[in-house]
């Protein structure tokens, strides 16, 4: 298993490439828009990318095991709907229920992938379609359900000192995920399974368990993203919440330098990737370019990142 | 493909019979299911087996049929094309935009554009070595973006003077709907190409084992590029027919069709990962999907969101079923 034997140089070059892009984007934004470099605006960008970051961290774990999770957007919607439905029973029940639903769906995804040996793209595609429908059925097709709750309001809009609560929470989650990946046996197993599942199995790693957990992690992180998004909107919108977020999460992971072939996870790169995408979106927004063109630009960024990744792999 | 050990197993009575039954299910399971569904629906609903209803079902599903034929080529070669839904929309927009210059310009322009984009997909996969899934995902996003940006997220009406374009969607030749005729012709060509041309054989060979195909000296890169170009072209045809049918091109058209196309291909019995299956199976898959949802509609009372849930669950059930059957087959062959 080539985990630690590879020099980390390649990883740092990738991260610095992404970091460089980020600096350029910041500079371009700062020049083009007058009030871009203000704390309030930077925090705003931070808040906008938090949901993507949660989802993308889960995606990084999944991609590190050579998988893919297309169901994250629908999980966000479903957890948002469950949150709003359980709210009358108390905020703890609502938060717990939303989180449990996401984790459970993720675990089912993992089960289907490992136990039945079905391709991750097909499994999560099917759950993505079905769960969006389930979310819509639960709200009975009513487009938006609004509500008021002080705890949710704090999650969505509160601050700890100057730091928005959700930004602080996201930072803590990132550190926890990083430690989990680098310093725990489970983290090692995730990378081992992605590097060579057969070798990992022979070495005594329970591949099915590890992969199942990874999809469960992706599901629960998506559920948290759904909770944060719901808290920010003070409403649930079964059709819109989490729509197309899987694309952003995959894009951020690829841009961040995590290889699609598995075996390595560059969590820090994924975070940078999220900020690159966020800055592109907000920059285009401030320049009054229609979002449709932003989609085209994002696609080009993904292609560029994927092809440079492929080129590097060939040279290794 | 070849069927090893069949000769020896035939002699062994009940066991051989079970084996043959299994093999029949794997190869003709979807056709059997189609016959069953049609039989049940005919008994349940007097309106089901009428020329009008069947014509409508076929007409409604013809657009997806073109896309699924393209997906068959891609999946047989071991790839996947997620961009087809966006290409349906883009093709429709181009056709509507060009319709003032006449039908031929509209149809040819739209299909040429999506063929070129499909070719670019193939080039990105073959030359830049980007995984098919990521390359076509990027094209899916970009294609949708361009369709939306084209007319500021508005629909474009197609020109009434483009009568041939309209005929493709709404016309008929005698009792036969025009898009269905076109679909049958397309599948005819598809069957011939896949079964009787060197190119078709090569598509199977690459899907079966790209490494071996390459060592045999097959032009793997060219074939893969062509496969994605075919998928793009057929998505273009689907978009043209859709615009002709609706008389207007919508930038959100074809959303989720990439999944429906994959579902139809798998439902027909083509294996994900390539090497086995074909155009006829896909046609069965498309019709089966169409009939199933027609029956759901005739049942009434099932909301569109339930249909979405069923669609996803069905896709999963198909793949699980296929997977189990294949596993049982392997065990039986041992």
């Amino acid at each position: 298993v080539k985990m630690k034997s590879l020099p980390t140089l390649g990883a740092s070059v990738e991260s610095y490439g992404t970091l460089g892009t980020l600096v350029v984007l910041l500079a371009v934004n700062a020049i083009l828009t007058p009030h871009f470099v203000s704390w309030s605006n930077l925090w705003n960008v931070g808040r906008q990318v938090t949901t993507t970051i949660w989802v993308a961290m889960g995606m990084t774990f999944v991609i590190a095991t050579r998988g893919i999770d297309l169901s994250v957007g629908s999980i966000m919607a479903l957890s948002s709907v469950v949150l709003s439905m359980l709210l009358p029973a108390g905020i703890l029940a609502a938060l717990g229920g939303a989180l449990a639903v996401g984790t459970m769906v993720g675990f089912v995804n993992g089960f289907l992938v490992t136990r039945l040996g079905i391709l991750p793209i097909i499994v999560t595609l099917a759950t993505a379609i079905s769960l969006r429908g389930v979310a819509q059925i639960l709200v009975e097709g009513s487009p938006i359900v609004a509500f008021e709750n002080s705890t949710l309001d704090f999650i969505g809009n509160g601050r700890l000192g100057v730091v928005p609560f959700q930004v602080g929470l996201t930072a803590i989650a990132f550190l926890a995920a990083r430690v989990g990946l680098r310093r725990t046996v489970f983290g090692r197993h995730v990378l081992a399974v992605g590097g060579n599942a057969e070798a990992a199995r022979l070495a005594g790693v329970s591949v099915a368990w590890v992969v199942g957990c990874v999809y469960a992690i992706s599901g629960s992180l998506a559920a948290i993203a759904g909770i944060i998004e719901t808290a920010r909107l003070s409403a649930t919108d079964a059709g819109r919440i989490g729509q197309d977020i899987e694309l952003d999460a995959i894009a951020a992971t690829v841009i961040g330098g995590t290889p699609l072939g598995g075996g390595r996870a560059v969590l820090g790169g994924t975070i940078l990737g999220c900020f690159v995408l966020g800055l592109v979106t907000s920059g285009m927004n401030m320049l009054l370019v229609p979002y449709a063109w932003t989609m085209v630009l994002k696609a080009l960024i993904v292609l560029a990142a994927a092809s440079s990744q492929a080129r590097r792999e060939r040279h290794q | 493909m070849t069927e090893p050990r069949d000769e020896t197993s035939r002699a062994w009575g009940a066991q051989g019979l079970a084996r043959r039954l299994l093999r029949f299910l794997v190869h003709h399971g979807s056709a059997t299911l189609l016959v069953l569904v049609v039989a049940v629906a005919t008994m349940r609903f007097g309106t089901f087996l009428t020329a009008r209803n069947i014509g409508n079902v076929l007409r409604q599903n013809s657009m997806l049929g073109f896309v699924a034929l393209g997906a068959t080529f891609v999946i047989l070669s071991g790839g996947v094309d997620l961009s087809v839904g966006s290409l349906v929309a883009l093709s429709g927009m181009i056709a509507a935009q060009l319709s003032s210059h006449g039908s031929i310009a509209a149809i040819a322009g739209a299909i040429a554009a999506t063929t070129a984009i499909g070719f670019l997909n193939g080039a990105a996969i073959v030359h830049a070595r980007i995984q098919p899934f990521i390359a076509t995902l990027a094209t899916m996003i970009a294609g949708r973006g361009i369709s939306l940006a084209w007319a500021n997220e508005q629909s474009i009406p197609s020109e009434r003077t483009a009568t041939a374009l309209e005929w493709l969607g709404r016309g008929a030749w005698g009792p036969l709907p025009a898009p269905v005729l076109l679909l049958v012709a397309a599948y005819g060509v598809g069957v011939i190409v896949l079964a009787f041309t060197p190119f078709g054989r090569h598509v199977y060979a690459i899907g079966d084992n790209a490494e071996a195909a390459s060592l045999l000296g097959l032009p793997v890169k060219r074939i893969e590029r062509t496969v994605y170009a075919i998928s793009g072209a057929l998505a273009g045809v689907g978009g043209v027919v859709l615009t002709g049918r609706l008389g207007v091109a919508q930038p959100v058209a074809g959303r989720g069709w990439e999944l429906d196309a994959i579902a139809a291909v798998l439902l027909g019995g083509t294996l994900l990962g390539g090497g086995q299956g074909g155009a006829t199976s896909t046609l069965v898959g498309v019709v089966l999907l169409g009939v199933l949802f027609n029956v759901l509609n005739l049942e009434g009372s099932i909301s569109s969101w339930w249909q979405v849930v069923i669609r996803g669950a069905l896709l999963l059930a198909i793949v699980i079923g296929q997977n189990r059957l294949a596993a049982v087959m392997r065990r039986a062959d041992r």
Side-chain angles (χ1 to χ4, degrees), chain B residues 288-306:
Chain B
L288 181 52
L289 263 187
V291 168
L292 273 176
F293 282 97
N294 179 242
V295 171
L296 283 181
N297 274 330
L298 289 175
E299 292 280 354
S301 74
I302 292 173
S303 79
S304 61
W305 289 114
W306 272 111

Side-chain angles (χ1 to χ4, degrees), chain A residues 180-260:
Chain A
L181 196 64
R182 292 203 166 175
R183 302 252 180 267
T184 67
V185 176
F186 174 75
R188 289 299 167 105
H189 285 179
V190 167
L191 299 183
V193 167
N196 187 337
E198 185 59 23
R201 193 183 64 78
L202 291 174
V205 175
S206 167
V207 175
W209 171 248
V210 169
V211 174
C213 283
V214 161
Y215 282 91
I217 289 173
S218 175
S220 58
L221 294 184
I224 294 175
I227 292 171
I228 292 177
E229 182 92 352
T230 312
R232 195 159 53 209
L233 299 171
S234 281
T236 181
D237 181 345
R240 284 273 175 83
I241 285 188
Q243 199 178 42
D244 292 341
I245 200 156
E246 64 278 7
L247 308 182
D248 274 5
I250 294 167
T253 309
V254 174
I255 294 169
T258 299
L260 288 161

Side-chain angles (χ1 to χ4, degrees), chain B residues 86-99 110 143 146-157 239-240 243 248-253:
Chain B
S86 295
L87 292 188
V88 165
L90 194 58
S91 148
M93 298 300 272
I94 295 172
Q97 187 78 59
L98 292 179
S99 60
I146 295 172
S147 308
L148 285 167
W150 195 288
N152 280 326
E153 308 194 8
Q154 301 300 308
S155 303
I156 306 181
V240 165
T243 297
V248 63
Q250 297 165 330
V252 292

Side-chain angles (χ1 to χ4, degrees), chain A residues 14-51:
Chain A
E14 280 160 26
S15 298
Y16 288 139
T18 317
L19 199 59
T21 317
L22 196 62
V23 171
V24 171
L25 277 170
L26 274 171
V28 169
N29 268 316
I31 294 166
L32 290 179
T33 36
H35 299 292
F36 186 80
V37 192
S38 64
W39 274 117
S40 71
N41 188 53
L42 287 180
W43 280 131
N44 249 339
V45 174
R47 274 180 33 167
Q48 275 160 13
V49 295
T50 43
T51 38

Side-chain angles (χ1 to χ4, degrees), chain A residues 68 70 112 115-119 121-127 129-134 136-137 141 239 243-244 246-247 250 254 260-261 290-293 295-296 298-300 302-304 306-307 310-311 314, chain B residues 80 82 124 127-131 133-135 137-146 148-150 152-153 255 258-260 262 266 272-273 303 305-306 308-316 319-320 323-324:
Chain A
I68 199 83
L70 301 181
L112 291 170
R115 288 290 172 201
L116 297 182
I118 302 169
L119 287 183
I121 180 175
I122 295 295
V123 169
T124 57
L125 204 58
T127 36
I129 311 172
S130 299
L131 293 181
R132 178 75 63 181
V134 170
Q136 294 274 16
I137 291 165
Q243 199 178 42
D244 292 341
E246 64 278 7
L247 308 182
I250 294 167
V254 174
L260 288 161
Y291 183 69
W293 289 117
M295 290 167 74
V296 177
K298 276 185 189 175
L300 291 177
V302 172
L303 277 183
S307 75
R311 200 164 340 122
R314 252 176 298 161
Chain B
V80 69
L82 299 180
H127 297 298
R129 305 259 184 111
I130 302 176
Q131 294 193 346
F133 158 63
I134 292 292
L137 187 71
T139 315
M140 167 183 165
I141 306 172
R144 184 65 65 191
I146 295 172
L148 285 167
W150 195 288
N152 280 326
E153 308 194 8
R255 186 171 269 245
E258 63 281 350
L259 314 184
D260 288 345
I262 294 173
L266 299 184
L272 201 63
S303 79
W305 289 114
W306 272 111
V308 170
V309 175
I310 293 171
R311 207 168 273 255
L314 189 70
L315 173 60
L316 204 54
V319 183
I320 292 175
N323 198 282
R324 294 290 88 187

